[in-house]
Amino acid sequence: MPFIVNGVKEKEIKTMINEKMRKLGAVRSVIRELFEYGKKRKAEVGEDNVYDFSLGNPSVASPDCVNEALMDMLKNENPVLLHGYTSAQGDAGVRAAIADFINETQNAGVNADCLYMTVGAAAALTCSLTAVAGEGEEVITLAPYFPEYKVFIERTGATVCEVLCNTETFQPDIEKIEAAINEKTAAIIVNSPNNPTGAVFTEDSIKALCDVLRKKEEEYGKVIYLIADEPYRELVFDGVKVPYLTNYYNDTLVCYSYSKSLSLPGERIGYVLVSPKMSDFTAVYQAIAGAGRALGFVCAPSMLQKLLPKVLGKTSDITIYDTNRQLLLKELTSYGYTVVKPDGAFYLFVKALEPDANAFCEAAKKFDLLLVPSDSFGCPGFVRIAYCVKTEQIERALPAFKALAESYK
Amino acid sequence: MPFIVNGVKEKEIKTMINEKMRKLGAVRSVIRELFEYGKKRKAEVGEDNVYDFSLGNPSVASPDCVNEALMDMLKNENPVLLHGYTSAQGDAGVRAAIADFINETQNAGVNADCLYMTVGAAAALTCSLTAVAGEGEEVITLAPYFPEYKVFIERTGATVCEVLCNTETFQPDIEKIEAAINEKTAAIIVNSPNNPTGAVFTEDSIKALCDVLRKKEEEYGKVIYLIADEPYRELVFDGVKVPYLTNYYNDTLVCYSYSKSLSLPGERIGYVLVSPKMSDFTAVYQAIAGAGRALGFVCAPSMLQKLLPKVLGKTSDITIYDTNRQLLLKELTSYGYTVVKPDGAFYLFVKALEPDANAFCEAAKKFDLLLVPSDSFGCPGFVRIAYCVKTEQIERALPAFKALAESYK
C-alpha cells in the first residue's frame, strides 16, 4: 500500500495521503529550482544581467495565423459548438484533417481513427504508457532523456530501464539497447529531435533500432511498443529529415504536441497516433481511450482542436532558434567548450569543464549563467543550454561563457 | 498484474496491454449508446421528431463577455505569455482573483495558495482521488451518482461504496452513511446540485453529514476527506442556497468547473480548492499537485485560465433552464408521472412507470423519447431527463410523454 501517515493532529486524527504523489508535488525539479533562483537573482542585479538558459519555454510568438484563426472562430462560429464537448477521441473533422496532413507530409497511410486527441504531449505519453505498461514491466528510456518520463512510467507501476546513448554523437547505442531488452520490456521511448541534446536520430539509427525491436518481439513472442515523443519534430535545421517512425516499425505510437511548433505550450493540445499497422490496433486504441477516460481528460480543449485544421503545416519563426544555435555553437567552440552540434529542438548539450556537472553549474552561477546539470537527464557530466531565448540574451551572455571557460584554464 | 493477452498474431507475437483500460475505452456508456441511437433515428425520421434528453451538454451559449474577453486578450496581450506555460498549480494572479471571488461570495477565508487549477472538474476529481485514496481503501458515493466517479475511484485502486439517498427527497441518508463508514473509508464524494436528480443538499443535510464525518474521524483516528464536486453550483432556481462545504467541514476539497456555469464544457477549465482549515494542508496540496504532474496535466489551459478573472460571477442565461424545468414539472405531473422537483442543475429524475427502468426507456424509444435509465447511476427504477435543450424540443416532446404515460394505463 503506497500510503503512509504524514502527520498527527492534536486530536490524534491521522492524515492518510499518497506519499509518492506528495513527494512529486513537494520536490521541485532541478530546472524549476534554477528558474526560481534566476528570478531572485534578477531582482538583485537586474533582468539583463542574469543569463537564464534553464527553461524550454518558447520565446518566439505563435505565427499570426493562430490568433487570427482563433479570433475568426470566436466571432463567427456557434459558441455552443465551439466550446462544447467533442467526442472523447477528438472532433472527427479535426482528426481527419490531421490524418490527411500526416499522409501528405509523411506518406504514412493513416486515417482519422488512428488519432486520439490529447491535452498536450504529456497526456499523450501518460495515456499511452497507462495503456501498454504496468506493474512488473519495464520501459526503456534513452539517456539523456526528459526527466518527466520517469514520473510518467513509474506512475503506471512499471520501472524505468535507462540505456545511455553514444555520448559522442548522442545517437542511440543499438548494442546496449539490444542487451537491455528482456521479457519484461513493454516499450521504449524515443525522443527525436531530442531534449536535452538536440540530436536528431538518423535513418540508419532508426532502422537498426527497429530491426532489434522486431528481433526481440520474435524472441520473446510479445509486442514491444515504440513510443515516439515528437514535440520538436518541426524544429530542425539545415534541412535535416526526421524519420516518421510508423514507416519503420508497425508497433509505433506517436505522441505529438503543438506546444513547440506553434508556441502554444500552455494551451495543451496534442495527440497520440496509433499506427494502423499495429498488431491488435483496435485493442491498443481502446486501451489509450480508456486511459484518457480513467485519468480524467474527457476531451482535448475544443477550441484549440478546431484551430488545428486552419494552421496545419504552419510554425513559429524557427529561424530565430537557428540563429541562436549557430551563434552559440561558433562562440562556445572558440572558447574551448566541447559541444555536440544539434540538428533540432532548441537545446545545446555541452560537456562540463569538470567531472561533476553540478559543481560546474554552481561555478557558472558565479557568472550569472543558469545552466541545467545533466544528472537528472540520466547522463552526468554535461549541461543543457535552452536557447529558446532572445538572441540578445545570448549576445550579452557570451562574455560570461568566455570567462567561465577561462576560469578552468 | 492487470495485464492479459489480448490477441495472437500469425507470428505468435502477443499484444500485452492494460485490459481494464481497454474495457473502459471499448464499452460505451449507456448515455453515449442512446446518443448514437438518437443520431441514427434522427436521420430516419427527421431531427425534430426525435426527442433526445440523453446528454448533459449545455444548449445555452456562453455569456457574451466570454468571447469578448478572449478576443480582447488575443488582440492585445503578448502571445508568448498568453499561450505560455503557467506554473503547474496555475497562474498566481488568476488564483488570487478566484480566491477573492470565493471569499466575497462564500465568506470562506481562502487564499490563492489553496487553489490548484485543473483541466476541468474531471481532472480535479482524478487529482484529488489520486492524492487521498488508493489500494485497500473505500470511497463513498451517494447514489444516484455520476457514473464516471466509479471509473475515477477504481483507477486509484480504491473501491466504491455506494450509499443510497432517500429516494423520496434525494437528500443524503445520514444513517446509511454512518453505517457505511469504516476504517477503510478514505473519502466521500458529495455532488450538489446533483447529477442526475437535480437535488440541492440542504444546510440541515450538510450539517448532519459533517457531524457524522467528524465523529467517524475521531472514532477511526484518521481524516475522512469530503470531496465536493460542484460543476452545477450556479445552476440553482427559486433562490435556493448551496452551502459552501469548507464552511462546514475542515477536511474538504472542492472540485469546480466552469463547464456548466459558462457553457464551456469542451474547454476543460476548473480547479481543486483545498480548505485552508484542512489537517496537514500542505501535504494534501502537494499530493494533489504531484498527482497532476504524474497524470500528465502539466497546467490548465493558459488562455482559459487568464479569461477567468474577467468573467468571475458571470453565467450563461440559466432562466432558459428554469423555463424548461417548470414546463416539464407541470406537464409531466399532470400526465401522472412522479417527479422529484429539482432545485438545481438541469436534470429531472422521474420514476419509471414500470419496475425495470431499462424496459421503460425501451418503451419510451417507441415514442422517440430518449431517456437515460437510472441503473448506471446506482439507483434503479428511474429515468434521467437532461433538460439542457431548447424549450421548443420540450414543447414538441410533450405529446410523446403523454402518450407514453397513457400506454401504461
Side-chain angles (χ1 to χ4, degrees), chain A residues 1-3 6-9 11-18 21-27 29 32 56-62 66-67 70-71 73-75 77 79-80 82-88 119 122-123 126 130-137 148 151-152 155 214 217-218 221-223 225 250-251 259-260 263-268 279-280 282-284 286-291 293-304, chain B residues 1-3 6-9 11-18 21-27 29 32 56-62 66-67 70-71 73-75 77 79-80 82-88 119 122-123 126 130-137 148 151-152 155 214 217-218 221-223 225 250-251 259-260 263-268 279-280 282-284 286-291 293-304:
Chain A
M1 193 165 103
F3 289 77
N6 269 308
V8 178
K9 290 205 309 184
K11 288 181 289 173
E12 299 292 343
I13 295 178
K14 294 173 206 156
T15 304
M16 303 287 278
I17 55 164
N18 187 323
M21 292 301 135
R22 192 197 63 75
K23 278 191 187 145
L24 285 177
V27 178
S29 72
R32 182 63 57 179
N57 207 1
S59 64
V60 176
S62 306
V66 164
N67 281 9
L70 288 171
M71 283 193 278
M73 290 193 293
L74 286 164
K75 206 175 289 177
E77 293 196 11
V80 172
L82 182 62
H83 300 305
Y85 291 117
T86 69
S87 71
V119 181
T126 57
T130 303
V132 305
E135 209 73 50
E137 297 196 304
E148 292 301 277
V151 176
F152 299 159
R155 210 269 312 142
R214 268 186 294 271
E217 283 196 332
E218 299 249 354
K222 57 169 260 189
V223 170
Y225 295 94
N250 290 347
D251 295 321
S259 289
K260 314 291 177 175
S263 296
L264 296 171
E267 304 296 4
R268 316 310 306 142
S279 323
D280 289 315
T282 303
V284 176
Q286 286 172 343
I288 290 168
R293 182 179 170 190
L295 300 180
F297 287 107
V298 183
C299 66
S302 51
M303 183 168 51
L304 268 291
Chain B
M1 194 165 104
F3 288 76
N6 268 307
V8 178
K9 290 205 308 183
K11 286 181 291 175
E12 299 294 342
I13 295 178
K14 295 172 204 155
T15 304
M16 303 288 278
I17 55 164
N18 188 322
M21 293 300 136
R22 191 196 63 75
K23 278 190 184 145
L24 285 176
V27 178
S29 72
R32 182 62 57 177
N57 207 0
S59 64
V60 175
S62 306
V66 164
N67 281 8
L70 288 171
M71 283 193 280
M73 289 192 293
L74 286 164
K75 205 175 292 177
E77 293 197 11
V80 172
L82 182 62
H83 300 306
Y85 290 117
T86 70
S87 72
V119 182
T126 56
T130 302
V132 305
E135 209 72 49
E137 298 196 303
E148 293 300 280
V151 176
F152 299 159
R155 209 267 314 142
R214 269 185 292 270
E217 282 197 332
E218 299 247 354
K222 57 169 259 189
V223 170
Y225 296 93
N250 291 347
D251 295 320
S259 289
K260 314 291 178 176
S263 295
L264 297 171
E267 304 297 4
R268 315 311 305 142
S279 323
D280 289 315
T282 303
V284 176
Q286 286 172 343
I288 291 168
R293 181 179 170 191
L295 300 180
F297 287 107
V298 183
C299 67
S302 51
M303 182 169 51
L304 269 290

Side-chain angles (χ1 to χ4, degrees), chain B residues 366-394:
Chain B
K366 291 182 193 133
F367 299 89
D368 284 315
L369 283 169
L370 305 190
L371 315 176
V372 180
S374 62
D375 298 63
S376 66
F377 301 111
C379 175
F382 293 81
V383 296
R384 186 189 80 170
I385 298 175
Y387 60 79
C388 49
V389 299
K390 292 208 158 68
T391 306
E392 303 88 78
Q393 177 181 321
I394 294 172

Side-chain angles (χ1 to χ4, degrees), chain A residues 41-42 45-52 367-369 396:
Chain A
R41 183 70 182 147
K42 282 172 186 175
V45 300
E47 186 89 17
D48 284 356
N49 301 315
V50 180
Y51 315 113
D52 186 351
F367 298 88
D368 284 314
L369 283 169
R396 282 199 313 273

Side-chain angles (χ1 to χ4, degrees), chain A residues 271-317:
Chain A
Y271 58 74
V272 185
L273 171 85
V274 182
S275 170
K277 291 174 277 181
M278 180 169 288
S279 323
D280 289 315
F281 168 88
T282 303
V284 176
Y285 187 94
Q286 286 172 343
I288 290 168
R293 182 179 170 190
L295 300 180
F297 287 107
V298 183
C299 66
S302 51
M303 183 168 51
L304 268 291
Q305 283 190 52
K306 288 159 193 167
L307 164 71
L308 297 179
K310 300 168 199 286
V311 299
L312 287 167
K314 303 285 170 44
T315 68
S316 300
D317 179 8

Side-chain angles (χ1 to χ4, degrees), chain B residues 3 11 22 46 78 190 201 207 221 231 277 305 315 347 380 391:
Chain B
F3 288 76
K11 286 181 291 175
R22 191 196 63 75
N78 177 347
V190 167
F201 296 170
K207 281 182 172 165
K277 292 174 276 183
Q305 284 192 51
T315 68
Y347 304 105
T391 306

Side-chain angles (χ1 to χ4, degrees), chain A residues 102-120:
Chain A
I102 293 170
N103 291 336
E104 280 161 27
T105 52
Q106 309 297 342
N107 195 25
V110 304
N111 61 66
D113 293 336
C114 300
L115 288 160
Y116 179 81
M117 302 304 298
T118 60
V119 181

